[in-house]
Amino acid sequence: MRHNFDQIIDRRASECKKYEAASYPADVLPMWIADTDFAVPQEIAAAIQERAMHPCFGYPIESFAFEEAAARWEEVRFGWKVDPSWVKYSNGVLPFMVYAIRAFCQPGCNVVIQPPIYPPFPAIIKNNGCNILENRLLKDAEGRYSIDFDDLEAKLADPRTKLMFLSNPHNPAMRCYTLEELTRIGDLCLKHNVIVVADEIHCDLTYKGYKHIPFASINQDFADNCILLINPSKTFNIAGFRTGAAIIPSKKLRDEVQTAIVNNKNYGRTIFGMLSFITAYTQCDYYADELMEYLQCNRDYLMNALKTRIPQVKMAEPEATYLMWLNCRELGMDQDGLKKFFFEKAKLGLNDGVTFGTGGEGYMRMNIACPRATLEEAVNRLEKAVNTL
């Protein structure tokens, strides 16, 4: 590999949220928030260093290279030909979801989500005066999640429902939705005049045998009814630059969202955010490929370790993301006891499953985007702790 993913990097004392915000003691291994413990591609580091040599950091121009970079990535990686004029700058995925609420909803409108789900989804809906409608994912005997389409249609059919927040790939369910599933979602949303806001921030992170399909790429009708959100932060470990993009093929939707952006005066771009985004999506394909090779090995190692060494902790086969959704219900603890067990006994800092809403009880989320040595240490700690029960 060109990149050394085995490198151990001390991230403490670097204003790193993963290691410092939770105030973990030195003997607790943080494996929670969704950034990686890998160095960024050298191309990004070099571009930032070169630009930082210039002594002025005033307002930047809105370079069209940003839009072209986003369009290139979608076409090269996923086969979807995007017109760069469809692309809009955003300082992250979640802010653009807020703009969508403010553009297309009034207080009291409904937004559909699919729990268990990334915690900010319900938070931003509630904080903007809208109602949360839960299309709860179904789970089979192996722990794999699927969509309850009858329930989804019932929620979409409510005349107050205006948006559906689609997490694809799904966090934390580790699902990479199929063409059939996405098509059924799209058809139902068109039938009931509900706009799809597709968070595809984990689009690069699919495992062997699975393929990410951009929702808006399926057909023109879906494209015209969709706001698709991407961000290189998860893949290239550049979340601190707070820079993503929205791809909105419909000019009508683009114009309406632009009004919300202007009303909130959230236009204007960041120098290093644009630079890291453009560099990632034009020069770092090799890094994304090598990252998935490395994560595939980490995923397979964890799956095997749970089956053979820690069978009390279950996990469905992950289809996507480096965020592993661990079913800890066989440990026989309530959620407070489970959190205490991981923190005090296993010495692991994981995400509490309850924060992901309905269906999160008895679960913990583990981030495996780390050097293999770190993951092996985590497994050893968990095995030892479970064996003391």
Side-chain angles (χ1 to χ4, degrees), residues 2 34 48 64-65 111 113 122 131 157 167 171 174 196 198 220 242-243 253 272 277 297 316 337 357 367 371 389:
R2 288 170 58 180
I48 295 298
F64 203 61
V111 180
I113 59 173
N131 302 317
S167 178
N171 171 23
M174 310 180 299
V196 177
Q220 189 61 50
R242 299 289 184 181
T243 301
L253 296 189
F272 295 111
F277 183 105
C297 293
N367 181 343
L389 296 175

Side-chain angles (χ1 to χ4, degrees), residues 349-373:
L350 275 57
N351 285 104
D352 176 4
V354 165
T355 63
F356 295 84
T358 304
E361 306 85 358
Y363 279 80
M364 300 291 285
R365 193 186 74 168
M366 173 186 279
N367 181 343
I368 63 165
C370 57
R372 170 59 68 83

Side-chain angles (χ1 to χ4, degrees), residues 130-159:
C130 292
N131 302 317
I132 300 165
L133 292 190
E134 294 189 350
N135 171 228
R136 301 174 184 178
L137 295 179
L138 304 174
K139 187 174 63 174
D140 66 18
E142 300 300 317
R144 184 177 186 269
Y145 288 93
S146 61
I147 299 170
D148 183 341
F149 281 101
D150 291 336
D151 178 74
L152 176 60
E153 178 157 24
K155 301 293 168 57
L156 295 173
D158 187 317

Side-chain angles (χ1 to χ4, degrees), residues 190-297:
L190 284 173
K191 177 180 177 181
H192 297 290
N193 299 309
V194 175
I195 297 169
V196 177
V197 182
D199 172 6
E200 302 196 359
I201 198 169
H202 299 280
C203 60
D204 301 318
L205 308 172
T206 55
Y207 295 106
K208 292 177 182 176
Y210 302 98
K211 178 183 178 181
H212 172 72
I213 301 171
F215 178 81
S217 72
I218 297 172
N219 61 50
Q220 189 61 50
D221 289 337
F222 290 3
D224 288 339
N225 192 51
C226 175
I227 297 170
L228 188 145
L229 305 173
I230 60 173
N231 190 325
S233 63
K234 305 305 180 190
T235 306
F236 300 100
N237 202 20
I238 52 176
F241 288 119
R242 299 289 184 181
T243 301
I247 303 175
I248 314 176
S250 164
K251 184 178 186 304
K252 179 177 182 296
L253 296 189
R254 282 200 310 276
D255 290 346
E256 292 186 60
V257 171
Q258 182 62 27
T259 298
I261 293 172
V262 171
N263 288 347
N264 290 277
K265 199 183 182 301
N266 205 43
Y267 41 84
R269 307 183 180 188
T270 67
I271 295 171
F272 295 111
M274 279 198 301
L275 182 56
S276 62
F277 183 105
I278 293 167
T279 305
Y281 279 168
T282 59
Q283 300 181 35
C284 300
D285 298 60
Y286 78 92
Y287 183 99
D289 293 337
E290 292 182 357
L291 172 69
M292 284 315 300
E293 288 183 40
Y294 197 88
L295 291 177
Q296 180 81 43
C297 293

Side-chain angles (χ1 to χ4, degrees), residues 292-348:
M292 284 315 300
E293 288 183 40
Y294 197 88
L295 291 177
Q296 180 81 43
C297 293
N298 275 3
R299 184 206 79 150
D300 294 347
Y301 171 81
L302 179 61
M303 287 178 63
N304 182 66
L306 293 179
K307 289 178 181 178
T308 60
R309 297 164 55 187
I310 321 171
Q312 301 92 330
V313 177
K314 312 293 185 185
M315 183 177 71
E317 179 177 307
E319 301 173 3
T321 86
Y322 48 69
L323 305 168
M324 305 291 100
W325 190 233
L326 306 182
N327 182 348
C328 306
R329 292 176 177 176
E330 285 191 14
L331 297 179
M333 304 176 190
D334 62 21
Q335 199 69 21
D336 287 340
L338 187 61
K339 290 188 293 181
K340 186 175 181 180
F341 169 78
F342 271 88
F343 187 78
E344 296 184 2
K345 298 296 184 182
K347 299 293 183 180
L348 296 174

